[in-house]
Structure formats: C-alpha cells, structure tokens
Amino acid sequence: MTCHCNPEPAIPKPNSKFRTALWIALVINLMMFLVELIGGSYAHSAALWADSLDFFGDAVNYGISLAVLGASLYLRATVALLKGLTMALFGLIVIGKTIYAYVQGIPPEAMTMGAIGILALIANVISAVVLYAFREGDSNMQSVWLCSRNDAIGNVAVIFAAIGVFGTGSLIPDLIVAVVIASLGLTAGYQVIQKARKERSQNRQLERAC
C-alpha cells in the first residue's frame, strides 16, 4: 500500500518581518556586548559582566536563527535545542563568575553600573518590542523572544543593583543581580530545550508513520 502521508510539513517561507527583527536585535546585542564587557571590567561589576555575556550569547543565537530561517522543522528544532543548552550553560558560567567576584570582595563602581544599565535597558526594550510579535512561534522563535525578555528584566535588576551598591557601598546587591541573571538563563534554557525536544519527537513520529 502506497504511503501518502507527508513525514514533515512543507518548509515555511522565511518570514521577512522576523528576519528584519532578528537583524535589528543582532546589531543591538553585539554593540551592547562590547559596551558592557568594557564597562563591567572597568566598574568591577559581576552583574554587568554577566549581562555582557548574555548580550554576546543572544547575538550568536540571533545569527544562528537567521541562518536556519526556511530550514526544516527538525533542523530548526535541533538548533533551538543547542541554543537552549547554551542559555543554560551561560547561567552556570555566571554563577561561577559571581563566586569569583565574592572571593575578590571588590565593590563595583555604582555610577558606571547605573549608566550602562540604563543604556542596556533601552537597547533591550527595543529588541523585545521588535521580537514580541513572534513569541508564540516555534521553539526557535520562542528562544529568540525569551533572550530579549530576559535581557530587559536583567537590565532593570542591574539598575537596582547600582542603586543598592551606591547606597550601601557593598558588592552584595551586584552579586544578587548576577545570580538573578544566571537563574533567568537556566530557566529560559530549560523551556527552550523542552519545546525543542517535543518538536523533534513529533517530527520523528511523523517519519515513522510513513
């Protein structure tokens, strides 16, 4: 008996609006990665340094997402799975950096933290706005939206940390925010991994049915 089922839905035509949104987010994140990397090192801020790594990771994710637009569902889900693992790994790296900063015991420079935090928040709000419409898409689109959402939340936390450091002269607020950013990376990575695994599994089931 001839099999008439289609093992995988037709590859969708790349969404031009999503592609444009990705390019905007990619450029913004690369620029802010450099700003926060330099500023975080200058200010001795674990939170800024952690956020700079987040910006870099997001820029890589956006670049990968652009590369696989129009690819098969299985390939897009596989890439999303790798991105989810990367997001979770980022969370672990930040935790390690936070522990190192605590051992060093050097309070960060609050004014630099606050200024860069505000700039980063503006950048991430722009990214989140242009990507908001694609938050309910496949695992690849979801991972992109979660990256921008987490960055915006993290930047608000960095600003509050700067206020806390300025008021107390302690590095503790900075370390707390670094842990918060790490937690966002771990939880978002878990969400993307779960959805990507589900999509890969559904694709395999369709292939076996044929």
Side-chain angles (χ1 to χ4, degrees):
M1 182 176 179
T2 304
C3 175
H4 298 288
C5 68
N6 187 1
E8 182 174 2
I11 297 175
K13 183 179 180 180
N15 187 315
S16 60
K17 291 183 179 180
F18 184 52
R19 185 187 298 276
T20 300
L22 281 175
W23 273 112
I24 293 173
L26 174 61
V27 172
I28 289 174
N29 276 264
L30 280 177
M31 291 175 61
M32 288 310 305
F33 160 66
L34 293 175
V35 170
E36 288 203 325
L37 181 66
I38 296 171
S41 298
Y42 172 79
H44 302 287
S45 170
L48 282 180
W49 191 85
D51 209 35
S52 73
L53 284 183
D54 198 15
F55 271 117
F56 178 74
D58 290 351
V60 172
N61 284 340
Y62 299 145
I64 293 174
S65 295
L66 281 165
V68 300
L69 282 179
S72 66
L73 174 62
Y74 186 82
L75 178 58
R76 283 183 284 125
T78 300
V79 170
L81 179 61
L82 293 175
K83 289 198 293 183
L85 292 170
T86 300
M87 292 165 74
L89 177 61
F90 154 77
L92 295 176
I93 291 174
V94 172
I95 289 175
K97 172 62 177 178
T98 303
I99 294 173
Y100 175 78
Y102 177 76
V103 172
Q104 292 294 104
I106 302 175
E109 209 282 298
M111 297 302 292
T112 301
M113 278 183 66
I116 295 178
I118 291 172
L119 179 61
L121 176 60
I122 294 172
N124 274 317
V125 167
I126 294 173
S127 295
V129 168
V130 298
L131 292 169
Y132 181 77
F134 310 101
R135 68 193 185 284
E136 299 296 340
D138 60 25
S139 57
N140 192 48
M141 287 184 172
Q142 185 189 54
S143 69
V144 167
W145 156 247
L146 286 173
C147 283
S148 293
R149 183 207 66 180
N150 287 355
D151 281 350
I153 295 173
N155 293 144
V156 172
V158 168
I159 293 171
F160 279 109
I163 295 173
V165 170
F166 181 79
T168 65
S170 169
L171 78 164
I172 297 301
D174 182 59
L175 299 183
I176 291 174
V177 168
V179 171
V180 169
I181 295 174
S183 299
L184 287 173
L186 289 171
T187 55
Y190 176 78
Q191 291 179 46
V192 173
I193 289 170
Q194 290 298 99
K195 187 165 186 176
R197 290 181 61 188
K198 182 179 179 180
E199 289 175 356
R200 281 163 53 92
S201 177
Q202 290 173 342
N203 184 265
R204 288 198 187 100
Q205 289 174 4
L206 285 172
E207 290 179 340
R208 291 171 182 169
C210 290

